[in-house]
Amino acid sequence: MTLNFDPRAKATALYHGEFRPMFVGGKWVPARSGHEMQALNPATGEVLATVPRGSAADIDAAVAAARTAFEGPWSKFSPYERQCVLLRIADLFETHWEELSVSDTLDMGLPITRTLANRRRVIGMLRFYAGMATALHGESIDNSIPGEIVSFTRREPVGVVGAIIPWNAPTAASIWKIAPALATGCTIVLKPSEDASLTPLLIARLMQEAGVPDGVVNVVTGTGAEAGARLAEHPDVNKIVFTGSTLTGQAIARAGVTNLKRVSLELGGKSPIIVCRDADIDKAVPVAAMAVFVHSGQICIAGSRLFVAREIHDEFVRRVAEFAGRLRIGHGIEAETEIGPLINARQAGKVVDYIKAGSDEGAELIAGGSRLTGDLYDGGNFIAPTVFGAVSDKMTIAREEIFGPVISAMPFDTLDEAVARANATPYGLAAGIFTSHLGTAHKLARRIKAGSVWVNMYHAIDPAVPFGGMRMSGYGREGGIEHLHEYLETKSIWIQTD
């Protein structure tokens, strides 16, 4: 991809190790405790900036600001006016997209070519939800009560929304939470990951510039244990929306019981990819490989269990391993980089432990498997794209979400066997199928237990199409009209007219 700007120059201009305050009630403020935390570049370990380490007191202030805005000026905005706000935000995102992309790359390591390529998706979300702001409505319902009685429904905003997002897609994740809240008339308190807080603060600045009223959007930086936990349990938050690990999602669901707040969760996965014997191998190899290796495997939908028909298994896995070996690994800010670093040393260490477990349990290491060192990688958290063969379904690497660039390849003999093994997991977030037979595609897609199933492709996400998981991968949907319903209450109204 040829860039029409110098990302390194823009990166130098963006962050200099300075303090970046959080955004509460329309004001830029430090943590009430005065505590701060560092935002590190995962490719180099350098300090990009410092941000407030918010705590329960800061969450309380943000929720109070969101409540005041919800019951005050924001409640008077018509659907058309909310639409105009979202369209102004979209315009500002267009203007500042390079800055947002560079910030994402510095904040969490995804190569600049990929953060730039998210433009259509993110701005498309803003414009989609802007369109939906004026399309929300209730229904007039014929009832069977004696007399002249009219019954109808209204769709009303749920209230104050608490949103907790992960570090692997700060821009997209922020907008996927904020945009439907604004479209429906809710207010929001966003708690970004402590590992990637800078871009959400940049987004808050653009929200303010777009004319979002004070308190409608608030961004509180801090740890999950301090700020995140308080937001999840807060008695004046009407809804929690969370994207992250299944373990944390379970804790958030329990916390939501305190006031029976609405909860929607997009959690972990151990997604299968099934490559049938009639698949187009040339097309399937790079897609199946990047279903995991994109963002160094740090995506919830990573297709890390690769089931390949035995007739083509050896050739397919060999070619995936060769593909992995050709990927250019380096700093995300470089235009030629295809695979960037893992988010931090802790996550890199966990992935190394999984790789060791794979070898110890008898899997065959075919490609990668090492942490990269040397001048290019000093200070960063780089792991070579890894491919294991001879994997059994009971091995740790085939059962647990690794969140790293690791593929577990396994042969299968029949489609019934492939389906049974693909579904033999507590997760149900996504799946991929490769086949040239339309009937096979339909049959497998229907039988696979996953919220999204891609055929002869992977990673497709569109604002108009629902996305979410089944079973331990969570509940609720993001995208489409179902997403907006997550932020709305249905009120039934009865009027006797005689």
Side-chain angles (χ1 to χ4, degrees):
M1 181 178 181
T2 302
L3 304 183
N4 58 8
F5 72 103
D6 181 356
R8 277 198 170 275
K10 197 168 283 286
T12 301
L14 195 55
Y15 298 117
H16 313 87
E18 73 282 12
F19 176 70
R20 294 293 178 101
M22 58 189 176
F23 189 61
V24 176
K27 296 181 174 58
W28 296 95
V29 296
R32 296 193 170 206
S33 66
H35 295 161
E36 299 175 8
M37 53 189 188
Q38 295 179 330
L40 304 179
N41 184 335
T44 63
E46 68 178 322
V47 178
L48 296 168
T50 58
V51 298
R53 181 174 167 176
S55 62
D58 301 289
I59 291 293
D60 290 349
V63 171
R67 176 60 62 189
T68 298
F70 177 72
E71 295 177 352
W74 188 237
S75 67
K76 298 178 176 62
F77 273 56
S78 69
Y80 170 77
E81 290 169 326
R82 297 199 302 271
Q83 181 183 71
C84 289
V85 169
L86 281 162
L87 291 174
R88 287 198 298 271
I89 295 169
D91 289 343
L92 283 169
F93 267 56
E94 294 242 46
T95 301
H96 293 275
W97 187 251
E98 291 176 0
E99 184 180 0
L100 287 163
S101 299
V102 169
S103 181
D104 260 8
T105 292
L106 294 174
D107 219 5
M108 50 80 179
L110 185 65
I112 185 65
T113 53
R114 296 198 174 275
T115 55
L116 285 168
N118 278 332
R119 177 179 188 147
R120 179 176 180 138
R121 179 190 169 197
V122 172
I123 297 174
M125 282 194 285
L126 285 164
R127 298 197 187 284
F128 171 80
Y129 291 111
M132 293 304 298
T134 57
L136 302 172
H137 56 79
E139 298 178 297
S140 176
I141 304 168
D142 286 335
N143 63 76
S144 300
I145 302 296
E148 294 297 324
I149 297 176
V150 174
S151 53
F152 60 95
T153 61
R154 281 179 49 84
R155 308 287 292 179
E156 299 182 350
V158 69
V160 176
V161 175
I164 302 173
I165 62 171
W167 43 261
N168 59 347
T171 297
S174 296
I175 295 308
W176 229 359
K177 298 342 185 224
I178 294 172
L182 299 189
T184 54
C186 295
T187 57
I188 191 166
V189 177
L190 179 72
K191 209 297 285 183
S193 167
E194 54 264 44
D195 288 311
S197 298
L198 296 178
T199 304
L201 293 173
L202 178 56
I203 288 171
R205 176 169 65 79
L206 296 180
M207 296 282 167
Q208 188 177 43
E209 187 176 341
V212 176
D214 293 350
V216 172
V217 175
N218 307 271
V219 179
V220 177
T221 55
T223 67
E226 296 171 339
R230 176 56 179 165
L231 187 59
E233 70 181 11
H234 200 289
D236 201 28
V237 169
N238 302 107
K239 173 181 172 58
I240 283 286
V241 55
F242 170 76
T243 298
S245 73
T246 295
L247 188 63
T248 303
Q250 290 172 313
I252 286 172
R254 287 191 292 269
V257 172
T258 55
N259 68 331
L260 296 180
K261 60 172 62 70
R262 283 205 196 177
V263 179
S264 54
L265 306 169
E266 194 262 281
L267 308 178
K270 192 66 178 175
S271 300
I273 289 181
I274 299 174
V275 183
C276 302
R277 64 184 178 184
D278 63 350
D280 181 337
I281 294 179
D282 291 338
K283 180 178 180 179
V285 164
V287 177
M290 294 309 288
V292 179
F293 296 147
V294 68
H295 206 351
S296 296
Q298 299 170 117
I299 46 175
C300 54
I301 55 177
S304 56
R305 291 187 297 147
L306 180 60
F307 296 99
V308 186
R310 193 175 297 276
E311 295 91 334
I312 63 171
H313 174 272
D314 292 351
E315 177 190 359
F316 194 91
V317 174
R318 173 182 59 79
R319 290 177 63 174
V320 168
E322 291 171 351
F323 181 92
R326 292 192 298 269
L327 290 168
R328 294 185 293 272
I329 308 167
H331 293 203
I333 205 66
E334 304 292 347
E336 65 273 11
T337 295
E338 295 173 292
I339 301 295
L342 276 74
I343 186 64
N344 55 38
R346 181 179 67 255
Q347 181 63 22
K350 287 175 61 177
V351 174
V352 169
D353 289 344
Y354 274 114
I355 292 171
K356 182 177 184 301
S359 296
D360 290 347
E361 293 175 18
E364 177 190 0
L365 182 61
I366 301 174
S370 61
R371 186 162 183 175
L372 302 179
T373 58
D375 292 343
L376 181 62
Y377 307 111
D378 283 349
N381 312 298
F382 296 91
I383 293 179
T386 300
V387 179
F388 276 107
V391 177
S392 76
D393 297 314
K394 294 183 179 180
M395 290 182 179
T396 302
I397 57 173
R399 291 185 294 104
E400 297 184 12
E401 184 179 35
I402 297 173
F403 229 61
V406 181
I407 289 176
S408 297
M410 297 166 276
F412 69 86
D413 293 302
T414 69
L415 292 180
D416 285 344
E417 173 200 343
V419 169
R421 294 170 66 190
N423 288 337
T425 173
Y427 299 107
L429 188 57
I433 299 165
F434 289 89
T435 178
S436 60
H437 192 280
L438 183 60
T440 299
H442 280 289
K443 290 174 184 176
L444 290 181
R446 186 173 64 248
R447 295 176 64 189
I448 295 296
K449 293 182 172 64
S452 294
V453 179
W454 293 289
V455 179
N456 295 330
M457 62 186 301
Y458 208 80
H459 287 141
I461 297 177
D462 185 86
V465 181
F467 174 85
M470 301 177 180
R471 301 187 289 183
M472 296 297 284
S473 291
Y475 47 79
R477 290 294 181 266
E478 294 183 297
I481 188 65
E482 292 180 52
H483 193 185
L484 291 154
H485 289 171
E486 299 275 353
Y487 292 75
L488 293 166
E489 297 280 15
T490 299
K491 177 187 289 182
S492 298
I493 300 174
W494 299 77
I495 300 176
Q496 183 167 327
T497 60
D498 60 358

